[in-house]
Amino acid sequence: MQLAENFGTDFEERKKELIDEGLWTGNKMTIKFAYGNTHSMVENPKSSKSNPNTKNKHRWVMFVALNTDKDQTAKFIKSVTYHLHPTFKPSVIKVEEAPFLLSRVGWGYFDVEMDIEFKSWTGLKK
């Protein structure tokens, strides 16, 4: 079992906790990641390069985390690639350090897609 080998004592302690709680599922493990963004308004915003008639008044930070623990997140995820609105240059940004934060300012709202690349030992694909 690769998890047991990679996490040693931490794995065995958590396994015992899950067994005691009746949540142990054998060779499978449920891992919950949180992803999203925070938002704040920019004081004294500057004009947008992509649209000079608007101001970059929104500051946001994207994130991906496991149990809000940077070290645990880094054990499972190798990188996160964010796909921003095409007016951002560059609009595709790869972040390779947990908790995979990306901060930008802009003038509007848009959806952000992301690709998560897991560490090879997990056997999980993008």
Side-chain angles (χ1 to χ4, degrees), residues 20-69:
D20 291 346
E21 295 170 16
L23 299 173
W24 179 251
T25 58
N27 290 339
K28 296 180 182 176
M29 181 177 168
T30 300
I31 300 171
K32 293 184 180 182
F33 289 91
Y35 63 92
N37 71 290
T38 60
H39 173 270
S40 62
M41 298 301 288
V42 175
E43 290 184 32
N44 304 315
K46 296 179 181 173
S47 293
S48 167
K49 291 179 184 175
S50 66
N51 186 350
N53 296 327
T54 62
K55 301 275 188 183
N56 285 332
K57 58 185 177 182
H58 302 280
R59 174 176 286 111
W60 48 265
V61 180
M62 295 292 305
F63 65 88
V64 176
L66 169 66
N67 297 329
T68 66
D69 185 322

